[in-house]
Amino acid sequence: GGYYGMMLYGSSTGNRAQDFVIENNEMDAVGYYPIYVYYADNLEINNNYAHDLGNSGAYGARLYYTSDVTMNENEFIAGNYGMYAGYTDNAEFTNNIFQGNTGFYSFSSEDQTLFHNTFRGAISYGLYLRTNDTMDIRNNIISSTGARYSAYFSNGAPDNSTIDYNLYYADTASGGVVAYYSATQNWATLADWKLGDSLINMNSVEGEPMYYSATDARMFLGTAANDVGDNTVGVTVDIDGDTRPYTSAGSTVVDMGA
């Protein structure tokens, strides 16, 4: 396939592309970027599926200098970053599955909400944040494998933020670490992280998500993410359109993840 699947490119920070919807697409065999957006505002990116990409360094989607973004019910499986968002402000990510060496990477951004996503990192990071501010991160599954990190916050937890009701998993048997702030502030387990930073994650849990397969990050029933989320987030369906909470199974509390 080509280098890009879809590319939207404005002129500059002061002259951005406006009011675009990218929706209901399946993209495979794309070389590097199924979705690439630079200098754009007022975006809706919903219900897209990117998989079997053409290069191990591929990104599921890359956003750069964007604002007023809504991303719902996307599933991106990539070799490098599942989702990459730099200078991306006032953005909502809900019911997405992002898989890559790093599941979700965001930097120099503010006013982001991350609700009911699954960030699955292989080799590197589940969730990587750098110099972000004012975030609401709830009801997500954040996992990594190998000797790396579930959550990597290179400048500590973002200021003015809510971080709670998430499921974390790191491969501690292989040297993995649940959370990293710095060389002197990193914690192998969620219990240690709560002691090290008592302002966040009071209702978060730690456990293996039990994904369906190496490429499908949906979960089996009865796993650590079931019935332990925060109902007040207000997301009433999952990525497949099933009702939250899963009342047909007798649940009254939402699951974490997409």
Side-chain angles (χ1 to χ4, degrees):
Y3 201 88
Y4 303 98
M6 301 180 185
M7 182 172 66
L8 174 63
Y9 209 120
S11 298
S12 66
T13 55
N15 186 14
R16 302 189 185 198
Q18 301 276 341
D19 304 323
F20 281 84
V21 177
I22 301 172
E23 192 169 67
N24 300 326
N25 301 285
E26 181 174 358
M27 295 159 280
D28 63 5
V30 176
Y32 279 92
Y33 301 103
I35 297 174
Y36 186 98
V37 181
Y38 209 125
Y39 299 138
D41 294 335
N42 300 320
L43 302 173
E44 295 183 25
I45 303 174
N46 302 321
N47 196 34
N48 299 287
Y49 179 36
H51 60 100
D52 296 309
L53 304 180
N55 191 285
S56 61
Y59 296 46
R62 176 170 172 162
L63 307 182
Y64 207 63
Y65 287 106
T66 60
S67 66
D68 301 312
V69 178
T70 301
M71 292 192 70
N72 295 326
E73 299 175 3
N74 300 283
E75 184 173 2
F76 299 149
I77 305 170
N80 196 357
Y81 296 97
M83 181 68 220
Y84 180 106
Y87 301 96
T88 295
D89 300 333
N90 193 27
E92 173 190 305
F93 300 87
T94 304
N95 277 340
N96 300 286
I97 295 175
F98 297 140
Q99 300 186 70
N101 283 344
T102 296
F104 184 97
Y105 175 46
S106 181
F107 64 94
S108 300
S109 302
E110 61 183 23
D111 296 313
Q112 292 183 347
T113 59
L114 279 54
F115 293 158
H116 283 289
N117 301 285
T118 298
F119 303 138
R120 187 182 189 183
I123 303 175
S124 295
Y125 316 97
L127 173 64
Y128 189 148
L129 302 178
R130 179 168 60 86
T131 60
N132 281 17
D133 191 2
T134 315
M135 302 188 72
D136 194 344
I137 304 172
R138 286 183 284 165
N139 290 353
N140 302 284
I141 296 173
I142 302 168
S143 70
S144 65
T145 57
R148 299 303 285 174
Y149 308 94
S150 174
Y152 190 98
F153 301 162
S154 64
N155 298 90
D159 292 333
N160 309 310
S161 297
T162 298
I163 303 174
D164 204 0
Y165 289 95
N166 300 297
L167 170 66
Y168 299 96
Y169 174 73
D171 186 1
T172 54
S174 299
V177 172
V178 166
Y180 178 97
Y181 291 179
S182 70
T184 58
Q185 285 186 298
N186 54 88
W187 301 278
T189 69
L190 177 60
D192 293 337
W193 188 10
K194 289 180 179 181
L195 290 173
D197 189 342
S198 62
L199 299 179
I200 59 176
N201 286 315
M202 289 302 97
N203 298 286
S204 295
V205 296
E206 182 177 0
E208 188 169 1
M210 300 296 292
Y211 298 123
Y212 276 164
S213 71
T215 56
D216 189 345
R218 292 163 180 82
M219 298 178 306
F220 291 103
L221 289 174
T223 66
N226 293 140
D227 302 337
V228 290
D230 181 358
N231 287 1
T232 68
V233 163
V235 178
T236 58
V237 297
D238 68 11
I239 190 173
D240 296 318
D242 295 324
T243 301
R244 299 182 190 273
Y246 192 33
T247 53
S248 61
S251 297
T252 59
V253 179
V254 297
D255 299 341
M256 296 171 178

